[in-house]
Coordinates of all heavy atoms in Angstrom, one line a residue:
M1 N 93.6 106.1 114.4 CA 94.5 105.1 114.9 C 95.5 105.6 115.8 O 96.7 105.2 115.7 CB 95.0 104.3 113.7 CG 94.0 103.3 113.1 SD 94.7 102.4 111.9 CE 93.6 102.7 110.6
S2 N 95.2 106.6 116.6 CA 96.1 107.1 117.5 C 96.7 106.1 118.4 O 96.1 105.2 118.9 CB 95.4 108.2 118.4 OG 96.3 108.7 119.3
G3 N 98.0 106.1 118.6 CA 98.7 105.2 119.5 C 99.1 103.9 118.7 O 99.6 103.0 119.3
M4 N 99.0 103.9 117.4 CA 99.3 102.8 116.6 C 100.7 103.0 115.9 O 100.9 102.6 114.8 CB 98.3 102.5 115.6 CG 96.9 102.2 116.1 SD 96.8 100.7 117.1 CE 96.7 99.5 115.8
S5 N 101.6 103.5 116.6 CA 103.0 103.7 116.2 C 103.9 103.4 117.3 O 103.6 103.5 118.4 CB 103.2 105.1 115.6 OG 103.0 106.1 116.7
A6 N 105.2 103.0 116.9 CA 106.1 102.6 117.9 C 107.5 102.8 117.3 O 107.7 102.8 116.1 CB 105.9 101.2 118.4
R7 N 108.5 102.9 118.3 CA 109.9 103.1 117.9 C 110.7 102.3 118.9 O 110.5 102.3 120.1 CB 110.2 104.6 118.0 CG 111.7 104.9 117.8 CD 111.9 106.4 118.2 NE 113.3 106.7 118.3 CZ 114.0 106.6 119.4 NH1 113.5 106.1 120.6 NH2 115.3 107.0 119.4
T8 N 111.8 101.6 118.4 CA 112.8 101.0 119.2 C 114.1 101.2 118.6 O 114.2 101.5 117.4 CB 112.4 99.5 119.4 OG1 113.2 99.0 120.5 CG2 112.6 98.7 118.2
K9 N 115.2 101.1 119.4 CA 116.5 101.2 118.9 C 117.3 99.9 119.0 O 117.2 99.3 120.0 CB 117.2 102.3 119.7 CG 118.5 102.8 119.0 CD 118.8 104.2 119.5 CE 120.2 104.6 119.0 NZ 120.2 105.6 118.0
I10 N 117.9 99.6 117.9 CA 118.7 98.3 117.8 C 120.1 98.8 117.3 O 120.3 99.2 116.2 CB 118.2 97.3 116.8 CG1 116.7 97.0 117.1 CG2 119.1 96.1 116.7 CD1 116.5 96.2 118.4
K11 N 121.1 98.7 118.2 CA 122.4 99.3 118.0 C 122.3 100.7 117.4 O 121.9 101.6 118.1 CB 123.2 98.3 117.0 CG 123.4 97.0 117.6 CD 124.2 96.1 116.7 CE 124.4 94.7 117.3 NZ 125.1 93.8 116.4
D12 N 122.8 101.0 116.2 CA 122.7 102.3 115.6 C 121.5 102.6 114.8 O 121.5 103.6 114.1 CB 124.0 102.7 114.9 CG 124.3 101.7 113.8 OD1 123.7 100.7 113.7 OD2 125.2 102.1 112.9
L13 N 120.5 101.7 114.8 CA 119.4 101.8 113.9 C 118.1 102.1 114.8 O 117.9 101.6 115.9 CB 119.0 100.5 113.2 CG 120.0 100.1 112.1 CD1 119.6 98.7 111.5 CD2 119.9 101.1 111.0
V14 N 117.2 102.9 114.2 CA 115.9 103.1 114.8 C 114.9 102.3 114.0 O 114.9 102.5 112.7 CB 115.5 104.6 114.8 CG1 114.1 104.9 115.2 CG2 116.5 105.4 115.7
V15 N 114.2 101.5 114.6 CA 113.1 100.7 113.9 C 111.8 101.4 114.2 O 111.4 101.6 115.4 CB 113.1 99.2 114.4 CG1 112.0 98.5 113.7 CG2 114.4 98.5 114.1
A16 N 111.1 101.8 113.2 CA 109.8 102.5 113.3 C 108.7 101.7 112.8 O 108.8 101.0 111.7 CB 109.9 103.8 112.5
Y17 N 107.6 101.6 113.5 CA 106.4 100.8 113.2 C 105.2 101.7 113.2 O 105.1 102.6 114.1 CB 106.3 99.6 114.2 CG 105.0 99.0 114.2 CD1 104.7 97.9 113.3 CD2 103.9 99.4 115.0 CE1 103.5 97.3 113.3 CE2 102.6 98.8 114.9 CZ 102.4 97.7 114.1 OH 101.2 97.1 114.1
A18 N 104.3 101.5 112.3 CA 103.0 102.3 112.3 C 101.9 101.5 111.6 O 102.2 100.6 110.7 CB 103.2 103.6 111.7
V19 N 100.7 101.7 112.0 CA 99.5 101.2 111.3 C 98.9 102.4 110.5 O 98.6 103.4 111.1 CB 98.5 100.6 112.2 CG1 97.2 100.2 111.5 CG2 99.1 99.5 113.0
L20 N 98.9 102.3 109.2 CA 98.6 103.4 108.3 C 97.7 103.0 107.1 O 97.7 101.8 106.7 CB 99.9 104.0 107.7 CG 100.9 104.5 108.7 CD1 102.2 104.8 108.0 CD2 100.4 105.7 109.4
A21 N 96.9 103.9 106.6 CA 96.1 103.8 105.4 C 97.1 103.9 104.2 O 98.0 104.8 104.3 CB 95.1 104.8 105.3
D22 N 96.9 103.1 103.2 CA 97.7 103.3 102.0 C 97.3 104.4 101.2 O 96.2 105.0 101.5 CB 97.9 102.0 101.2 CG 96.7 101.5 100.6 OD1 95.8 102.2 100.4 OD2 96.7 100.3 100.2
A23 N 97.9 104.7 100.0 CA 97.6 105.8 99.2 C 96.1 105.7 98.6 O 95.6 106.8 98.3 CB 98.6 105.9 98.1
S24 N 95.6 104.5 98.5 CA 94.2 104.4 98.0 C 93.2 104.9 98.9 O 92.1 105.3 98.6 CB 93.9 102.9 97.6 OG 93.7 102.2 98.8
N25 N 93.5 104.9 100.2 CA 92.6 105.4 101.3 C 91.3 104.6 101.3 O 90.3 105.1 101.8 CB 92.4 106.9 101.2 CG 92.0 107.4 102.6 OD1 92.5 106.9 103.7 ND2 91.2 108.5 102.6
A26 N 91.3 103.4 100.8 CA 90.1 102.6 100.8 C 89.9 102.1 102.3 O 90.8 102.0 103.0 CB 90.2 101.4 99.9
C27 N 88.7 101.8 102.6 CA 88.4 101.5 104.0 C 89.1 100.2 104.5 O 89.4 100.1 105.7 CB 86.9 101.4 104.3 SG 86.1 100.0 103.4
D28 N 89.4 99.3 103.6 CA 90.1 98.1 104.0 C 91.7 98.1 103.7 O 92.4 97.2 103.9 CB 89.5 96.8 103.3 CG 89.7 96.9 101.8 OD1 90.0 98.0 101.3 OD2 89.5 95.9 101.2
A29 N 92.1 99.3 103.3 CA 93.5 99.4 103.0 C 94.4 99.9 104.1 O 95.0 101.0 104.1 CB 93.7 100.4 101.8
V30 N 94.4 99.1 105.2 CA 95.2 99.5 106.3 C 96.3 98.4 106.5 O 96.1 97.3 106.6 CB 94.3 99.5 107.6 CG1 95.1 99.8 108.8 CG2 93.2 100.5 107.5
D31 N 97.5 99.0 106.5 CA 98.7 98.1 106.6 C 99.5 98.4 107.9 O 99.5 99.5 108.4 CB 99.7 98.4 105.5 CG 99.2 97.9 104.1 OD1 98.3 97.1 104.0 OD2 99.7 98.4 103.1
E32 N 100.2 97.3 108.3 CA 101.2 97.5 109.3 C 102.5 97.8 108.5 O 102.7 97.0 107.6 CB 101.4 96.3 110.2 CG 100.2 96.0 111.1 CD 100.4 94.7 111.9 OE1 101.2 94.7 112.8 OE2 99.7 93.7 111.6
V33 N 103.2 98.8 108.8 CA 104.5 99.0 108.2 C 105.6 99.2 109.1 O 105.4 99.6 110.3 CB 104.4 100.2 107.2 CG1 103.4 100.0 106.1 CG2 104.0 101.5 108.0
V34 N 106.8 98.8 108.7 CA 108.0 98.9 109.6 C 109.2 99.2 108.7 O 109.3 98.7 107.5 CB 108.2 97.6 110.4 CG1 108.5 96.4 109.5 CG2 109.2 97.8 111.5
A35 N 110.1 100.0 109.2 CA 111.3 100.4 108.5 C 112.4 100.6 109.5 O 112.2 101.1 110.6 CB 111.1 101.5 107.6
A36 N 113.7 100.4 109.2 CA 114.8 100.7 110.0 C 115.7 101.8 109.3 O 115.9 101.7 108.1 CB 115.6 99.5 110.3
A37 N 116.1 102.8 110.0 CA 116.9 103.9 109.5 C 117.7 104.5 110.6 O 117.7 104.0 111.7 CB 116.0 104.9 108.8
D38 N 118.4 105.5 110.3 CA 119.2 106.2 111.3 C 118.5 107.0 112.3 O 119.0 107.4 113.4 CB 120.3 107.0 110.7 CG 119.8 108.2 109.8 OD1 118.6 108.1 109.4 OD2 120.5 109.1 109.5
S39 N 117.2 107.3 112.0 CA 116.4 108.1 112.9 C 114.9 107.9 112.7 O 114.5 107.3 111.6 CB 116.6 109.7 112.7 OG 116.1 110.0 111.4
W40 N 114.0 108.2 113.6 CA 112.6 108.1 113.4 C 112.2 108.9 112.1 O 111.4 108.4 111.3 CB 111.9 108.7 114.6 CG 110.3 108.8 114.5 CD1 109.7 110.0 114.1 CD2 109.4 107.8 114.6 NE1 108.4 109.7 114.1 CE2 108.1 108.4 114.4 CE3 109.4 106.4 114.9 CZ2 106.9 107.7 114.4 CZ3 108.2 105.7 115.0 CH2 107.0 106.3 114.7
K41 N 112.7 110.1 112.0 CA 112.3 111.0 110.9 C 112.7 110.3 109.5 O 111.9 110.3 108.6 CB 112.9 112.3 111.0 CG 112.6 113.3 110.0 CD 113.2 114.7 110.2 CE 112.8 115.6 109.1 NZ 113.4 117.0 109.3
S42 N 113.9 109.7 109.5 CA 114.3 109.1 108.2 C 113.4 107.9 107.9 O 113.0 107.6 106.8 CB 115.8 108.7 108.4 OG 116.6 109.8 108.5
A43 N 113.1 107.1 109.0 CA 112.2 105.9 108.7 C 110.9 106.3 108.3 O 110.3 105.7 107.3 CB 112.1 105.1 110.0
M44 N 110.3 107.4 108.9 CA 109.0 107.9 108.5 C 109.0 108.4 107.0 O 108.0 108.3 106.3 CB 108.4 108.9 109.4 CG 108.0 108.3 110.8 SD 106.7 107.1 110.7 CE 107.4 105.6 111.0
E45 N 110.1 109.0 106.6 CA 110.2 109.5 105.3 C 110.2 108.4 104.3 O 109.6 108.4 103.2 CB 111.4 110.4 105.1 CG 111.5 111.1 103.7 CD 110.3 111.9 103.4 OE1 109.7 112.5 104.3 OE2 110.0 112.0 102.2
L46 N 110.9 107.3 104.6 CA 110.9 106.1 103.7 C 109.5 105.6 103.6 O 109.1 105.2 102.5 CB 111.8 105.0 104.3 CG 113.3 105.2 104.3 CD1 113.9 104.1 105.2 CD2 113.8 105.1 102.9
I47 N 108.8 105.5 104.6 CA 107.4 105.1 104.6 C 106.5 106.0 103.8 O 105.7 105.6 102.9 CB 106.8 104.9 106.0 CG1 107.6 103.7 106.7 CG2 105.3 104.6 106.0 CD1 107.3 103.5 108.2
R48 N 106.7 107.3 103.9 CA 105.9 108.3 103.2 C 106.2 108.2 101.7 O 105.2 108.3 100.9 CB 106.3 109.7 103.7 CG 105.6 110.8 102.9 CD 106.0 112.3 103.4 NE 105.4 112.5 104.7 CZ 106.0 112.6 105.9 NH1 107.3 112.3 106.0 NH2 105.4 112.8 107.0
V49 N 107.4 108.0 101.3 CA 107.7 107.8 99.9 C 106.9 106.6 99.2 O 106.6 106.6 98.1 CB 109.2 107.6 99.7 CG1 109.6 107.2 98.3 CG2 109.9 109.0 100.0
C50 N 106.6 105.7 100.1 CA 105.8 104.5 99.6 C 104.3 104.8 99.4 O 103.6 103.9 99.1 CB 106.0 103.3 100.5 SG 107.7 102.7 100.5
G51 N 103.9 106.0 99.7 CA 102.5 106.3 99.5 C 101.6 106.2 100.7 O 100.4 106.4 100.6
Y52 N 102.2 106.0 101.9 CA 101.3 106.0 103.1 C 100.9 107.4 103.5 O 101.7 108.3 103.3 CB 102.0 105.2 104.2 CG 102.0 103.7 103.9 CD1 103.1 103.1 103.3 CD2 100.9 102.9 104.1 CE1 103.1 101.8 102.9 CE2 100.9 101.6 103.8 CZ 102.0 101.0 103.2 OH 102.0 99.7 102.9
R53 N 99.7 107.5 104.1 CA 99.1 108.7 104.5 C 99.2 108.9 106.0 O 99.2 107.9 106.8 CB 97.7 108.8 104.0 CG 97.6 108.7 102.5 CD 96.2 108.4 102.1 NE 95.2 109.1 102.8 CZ 94.6 110.3 102.5 NH1 95.1 110.9 101.4 NH2 93.7 110.9 103.2
K54 N 99.1 110.1 106.5 CA 99.0 110.5 107.9 C 100.1 109.9 108.7 O 99.9 109.1 109.7 CB 97.6 110.1 108.4 CG 96.5 110.8 107.8 CD 95.1 110.5 108.3 CE 94.1 111.3 107.6 NZ 92.7 111.0 108.0
I55 N 101.3 110.1 108.3 CA 102.5 109.6 109.0 C 102.6 110.3 110.4 O 102.5 111.5 110.5 CB 103.7 110.0 108.1 CG1 103.6 109.4 106.7 CG2 105.0 109.5 108.8 CD1 103.5 108.0 106.6
P56 N 102.8 109.5 111.4 CA 102.9 110.0 112.8 C 104.2 110.9 112.9 O 105.2 110.6 112.3 CB 103.0 108.8 113.7 CG 103.3 107.7 112.8 CD 102.9 108.0 111.4
V57 N 104.1 111.9 113.7 CA 105.2 112.8 113.9 C 106.2 112.2 115.0 O 107.4 112.3 114.9 CB 104.7 114.2 114.4 CG1 105.9 115.1 114.8 CG2 103.9 114.9 113.4
R58 N 105.6 111.5 115.9 CA 106.4 110.8 117.0 C 105.7 109.5 117.3 O 104.5 109.4 117.2 CB 106.6 111.7 118.2 CG 105.4 112.1 118.9 CD 105.7 113.1 120.0 NE 104.6 114.0 120.3 CZ 104.3 115.1 119.6 NH1 105.1 115.5 118.7 NH2 103.3 115.9 120.0
P59 N 106.5 108.6 117.9 CA 105.9 107.3 118.2 C 105.1 107.4 119.5 O 105.3 108.2 120.4 CB 107.1 106.4 118.5 CG 108.2 107.3 118.8 CD 107.9 108.6 118.1
A60 N 104.1 106.5 119.6 CA 103.2 106.5 120.8 C 103.7 105.5 121.8 O 103.3 105.6 123.0 CB 101.8 106.1 120.3
R61 N 104.5 104.6 121.4 CA 105.0 103.6 122.3 C 106.4 103.0 121.9 O 106.9 103.5 120.9 CB 104.0 102.4 122.5 CG 103.6 101.7 121.2 CD 102.4 100.8 121.4 NE 102.0 100.3 120.1 CZ 102.3 99.1 119.6 NH1 103.0 98.3 120.3 NH2 101.8 98.8 118.4
S62 N 107.0 102.2 122.7 CA 108.3 101.7 122.4 C 108.4 100.2 122.3 O 109.5 99.6 122.4 CB 109.3 102.2 123.5 OG 108.9 101.7 124.7
T63 N 107.3 99.5 122.1 CA 107.3 98.1 121.9 C 106.9 97.7 120.4 O 105.8 98.1 120.0 CB 106.3 97.4 122.9 OG1 106.7 97.9 124.2 CG2 106.4 95.9 122.8
I64 N 107.7 96.9 119.8 CA 107.5 96.4 118.4 C 107.6 94.9 118.5 O 108.6 94.4 119.1 CB 108.4 97.1 117.4 CG1 108.3 98.6 117.4 CG2 108.1 96.6 116.0 CD1 109.3 99.3 116.6
G65 N 106.8 94.2 117.7 CA 106.9 92.8 117.7 C 108.3 92.3 117.2 O 108.9 93.0 116.3
D66 N 108.8 91.2 117.7 CA 110.1 90.7 117.3 C 110.2 90.4 115.7 O 111.2 90.6 115.2 CB 110.4 89.3 118.0 CG 110.6 89.6 119.5 OD1 110.9 90.8 119.9 OD2 110.6 88.7 120.3
D67 N 109.1 89.9 115.2 CA 109.1 89.6 113.7 C 109.3 90.9 112.9 O 110.0 90.9 111.9 CB 107.9 88.9 113.3 CG 106.6 89.6 113.6 OD1 106.5 90.4 114.5 OD2 105.6 89.3 112.8
A68 N 108.7 92.0 113.3 CA 108.8 93.3 112.6 C 110.2 93.8 112.8 O 110.8 94.3 111.8 CB 107.7 94.3 113.2
V69 N 110.7 93.7 114.0 CA 112.1 94.2 114.2 C 113.1 93.4 113.4 O 114.0 94.0 112.8 CB 112.4 94.2 115.7 CG1 113.9 94.5 116.0 CG2 111.6 95.1 116.5
G70 N 112.9 92.1 113.4 CA 113.8 91.2 112.6 C 113.8 91.6 111.1 O 114.9 91.6 110.5
A71 N 112.6 91.8 110.6 CA 112.5 92.1 109.1 C 113.2 93.4 108.8 O 114.0 93.5 107.9 CB 111.1 92.1 108.7
A72 N 112.8 94.5 109.6 CA 113.4 95.8 109.4 C 114.9 95.9 109.6 O 115.6 96.5 108.8 CB 112.6 96.8 110.2
S73 N 115.3 95.3 110.6 CA 116.8 95.4 111.0 C 117.7 94.6 110.0 O 118.9 94.9 109.9 CB 117.1 95.1 112.4 OG 116.7 93.7 112.7
A74 N 117.1 93.6 109.4 CA 117.9 92.8 108.4 C 118.1 93.5 107.1 O 119.1 93.2 106.5 CB 117.1 91.5 108.1
M75 N 117.3 94.5 106.8 CA 117.4 95.3 105.6 C 117.1 96.7 105.8 O 116.1 97.2 105.4 CB 116.5 94.7 104.5 CG 116.9 93.3 104.0 SD 115.7 92.7 102.7 CE 116.1 93.9 101.3
P76 N 118.0 97.5 106.5 CA 117.8 98.9 106.8 C 117.6 99.7 105.5 O 118.2 99.3 104.4 CB 119.0 99.4 107.5 CG 119.6 98.1 108.0 CD 119.2 97.0 107.1
G77 N 116.6 100.6 105.5 CA 116.3 101.4 104.3 C 115.2 100.8 103.5 O 114.8 101.4 102.5
T78 N 114.7 99.6 103.9 CA 113.6 99.0 103.2 C 112.3 99.0 104.0 O 112.4 98.8 105.2 CB 113.9 97.5 102.8 OG1 115.1 97.5 102.1 CG2 112.8 96.8 102.1
V79 N 111.2 99.4 103.4 CA 109.9 99.4 104.1 C 109.3 98.1 103.9 O 109.2 97.5 102.8 CB 109.1 100.6 103.5 CG1 107.7 100.5 104.2 CG2 109.7 101.9 103.7
F80 N 108.8 97.5 105.0 CA 108.1 96.2 105.0 C 106.6 96.4 105.4 O 106.4 97.3 106.2 CB 108.7 95.2 106.0 CG 110.1 94.8 105.5 CD1 111.2 95.5 105.8 CD2 110.2 93.6 104.8 CE1 112.5 95.1 105.4 CE2 111.5 93.1 104.4 CZ 112.6 93.9 104.7
R81 N 105.7 95.6 104.9 CA 104.3 95.8 105.1 C 103.6 94.4 105.3 O 104.2 93.4 104.7 CB 103.6 96.6 104.0 CG 103.5 95.8 102.7 CD 102.5 96.3 101.7 NE 101.1 96.1 102.1 CZ 100.5 95.0 101.9 NH1 101.0 94.0 101.2 NH2 99.2 94.8 102.3
K82 N 102.5 94.4 105.9 CA 101.6 93.4 105.9 C 100.2 93.9 106.2 O 100.2 95.0 106.9 CB 102.0 92.2 106.8 CG 101.9 92.5 108.3 CD 102.3 91.3 109.1 CE 102.2 91.4 110.6 NZ 102.4 90.2 111.3
R83 N 99.2 93.3 105.8 CA 97.8 93.8 106.0 C 97.6 93.7 107.6 O 98.0 92.8 108.2 CB 96.8 92.9 105.3 CG 95.4 93.4 105.3 CD 95.2 94.7 104.6 NE 95.5 94.7 103.2 CZ 95.7 95.8 102.5 NH1 95.6 97.0 103.1 NH2 95.9 95.7 101.2
F84 N 97.0 94.8 108.1 CA 96.8 94.9 109.5 C 96.0 93.6 110.1 O 95.1 93.2 109.5 CB 95.9 96.1 109.8 CG 95.6 96.3 111.3 CD1 96.7 96.7 112.1 CD2 94.4 96.1 111.8 CE1 96.4 96.8 113.5 CE2 94.1 96.3 113.2 CZ 95.1 96.6 114.0
G85 N 96.6 93.1 111.1 CA 96.0 91.9 111.8 C 96.3 90.6 111.1 O 95.9 89.5 111.6
S86 N 97.0 90.6 110.0 CA 97.3 89.4 109.2 C 98.5 88.6 109.9 O 99.3 89.1 110.5 CB 97.7 89.8 107.8 OG 98.3 88.7 107.1
E87 N 98.4 87.3 109.7 CA 99.5 86.4 110.2 C 100.6 86.2 109.1 O 101.5 85.5 109.2 CB 99.0 85.1 110.6 CG 98.1 85.2 111.9 CD 98.8 85.7 113.1 OE1 100.0 85.4 113.3 OE2 98.2 86.6 113.8
A88 N 100.4 86.9 107.9 CA 101.3 86.8 106.8 C 102.7 87.3 107.2 O 102.8 88.1 108.1 CB 100.8 87.5 105.6
P89 N 103.7 86.8 106.5 CA 105.1 87.4 106.8 C 105.2 88.8 106.3 O 104.5 89.2 105.4 CB 106.0 86.4 106.1 CG 105.2 85.8 105.0 CD 103.8 85.8 105.6
W90 N 106.2 89.5 106.8 CA 106.5 90.9 106.4 C 107.1 90.8 105.0 O 107.9 89.9 104.7 CB 107.5 91.5 107.3 CG 106.9 91.9 108.6 CD1 106.9 91.0 109.7 CD2 106.2 93.0 109.0 NE1 106.3 91.7 110.8 CE2 105.8 92.9 110.3 CE3 105.8 94.1 108.3 CZ2 105.0 93.8 111.0 CZ3 105.0 95.1 109.0 CH2 104.7 94.9 110.3
A91 N 106.6 91.7 104.1 CA 107.0 91.7 102.7 C 107.5 93.1 102.4 O 107.0 94.1 102.8 CB 105.9 91.4 101.7
P92 N 108.7 93.2 101.6 CA 109.2 94.5 101.3 C 108.3 95.3 100.4 O 107.6 94.7 99.5 CB 110.5 94.2 100.6 CG 110.6 92.7 100.4 CD 109.5 92.1 101.1
V93 N 108.2 96.6 100.6 CA 107.4 97.5 99.8 C 108.3 98.1 98.7 O 108.0 98.0 97.5 CB 106.7 98.6 100.6 CG1 106.0 99.6 99.7 CG2 105.8 98.0 101.6
S94 N 109.4 98.7 99.1 CA 110.3 99.3 98.1 C 111.6 99.5 98.9 O 111.7 99.5 100.1 CB 109.8 100.6 97.6 OG 109.8 101.6 98.7
H95 N 112.7 99.7 98.2 CA 114.0 100.0 98.8 C 114.2 101.5 99.0 O 113.8 102.3 98.1 CB 115.1 99.3 97.9 CG 116.4 99.3 98.7 ND1 117.2 100.2 98.9 CD2 116.9 98.2 99.4 CE1 118.2 99.9 99.6 NE2 118.0 98.6 99.9
G96 N 114.8 101.9 100.1 CA 115.0 103.3 100.4 C 115.9 104.0 99.4 O 115.9 105.2 99.4
E97 N 116.6 103.3 98.6 CA 117.5 104.0 97.6 C 116.9 104.4 96.3 O 117.4 105.0 95.5 CB 118.7 103.1 97.3 CG 119.6 102.8 98.5 CD 120.7 101.9 98.2 OE1 120.8 101.4 97.1 OE2 121.5 101.6 99.1
R98 N 115.5 104.0 96.2 CA 114.9 104.4 95.0 C 114.7 105.9 94.9 O 114.7 106.6 95.8 CB 113.5 103.7 94.9 CG 112.5 104.2 95.8 CD 111.2 103.5 95.5 NE 110.1 104.5 95.7 CZ 108.9 104.3 95.7 NH1 108.5 103.1 95.4 NH2 108.0 105.2 95.9
D99 N 114.4 106.3 93.7 CA 114.2 107.8 93.5 C 112.9 108.2 94.1 O 111.9 107.5 94.0 CB 114.1 108.1 91.9 CG 115.5 107.9 91.3 OD1 116.5 108.0 92.0 OD2 115.5 107.5 90.1
N100 N 112.9 109.4 94.7 CA 111.6 109.9 95.2 C 110.7 110.3 94.1 O 111.2 110.9 93.2 CB 111.9 111.1 96.1 CG 112.6 110.7 97.4 OD1 112.6 109.6 97.8 ND2 113.3 111.7 98.1
P101 N 109.4 110.0 94.2 CA 108.5 110.4 93.2 C 108.3 111.9 93.1 O 108.5 112.6 94.1 CB 107.2 109.7 93.5 CG 107.3 109.3 94.9 CD 108.8 109.3 95.3

């Protein structure tokens, strides 16, 4: 899924988006995930803690859907997900302040 990551900046936040396999690595377990943090690296670490695999090192593009940006920027430090290609609303996965496993 090369090219399925993006980064944009909103004021002092970096909003990171990626399409990733979840920890189960099942063939249908592909989520769109988004998080806002102070940097790309911090946002990707929040996503990694939630069990997502093959986290991108850098974004492939700079365009993210308005709904994803809105969800992430409303609650920085929270990872949001939805099933890839779904029209469902973004749902929180976990809060960034939780303990690392």
